[in-house]
Amino acid sequence: GTPAPQLFEAIARESEQRIGSFKPQELVNTAWAFATLGVRAPQLFDAIARESEQRIGSFKPQELADTAWAFATLGMPDPQLFDAIAR
């Protein structure tokens, strides 16, 4: 199972509330951490996707790749986000 599920639930809830203030690297790091541990958080990932789409032009190439990797690793593809990354 997920290591410390209550911790990740709390992180997801808090991150969703603050997502608008995250820098691109913070968006990526959050997605990467959840994906690395295999923790699915659909609401958080939806929030990350929407926020990332709005600011995709400020992402560095590595941040684009890591974002796509996190979503794909968790089996949570987001067509709108992936289209934005591909542009």
Side-chain angles (χ1 to χ4, degrees):
T2 301
Q6 292 176 339
L7 173 63
F8 277 87
E9 288 170 15
I11 291 169
R13 279 192 311 274
E14 191 66 26
S15 295
E16 287 171 43
Q17 293 176 11
R18 297 177 181 211
I19 206 84
S21 68
F22 281 22
K23 296 174 183 146
Q25 184 64 51
E26 293 163 340
L27 292 166
V28 174
N29 287 350
T30 302
W32 182 88
F34 277 74
T36 298
L37 293 174
V39 178
R40 293 177 60 92
Q43 288 180 301
L44 172 60
F45 271 69
D46 186 56
I48 290 171
R50 301 298 71 84
E51 192 64 32
S52 296
E53 279 177 60
Q54 292 178 22
R55 296 193 275 146
I56 205 77
S58 63
F59 277 52
K60 297 174 184 168
Q62 184 66 51
E63 293 166 342
L64 296 172
D66 289 348
T67 299
W69 177 87
F71 278 79
T73 295
L74 288 175
M76 300 175 67
D78 187 288
Q80 286 179 243
L81 175 60
F82 286 6
D83 283 348
I85 290 171
R87 281 187 230 131

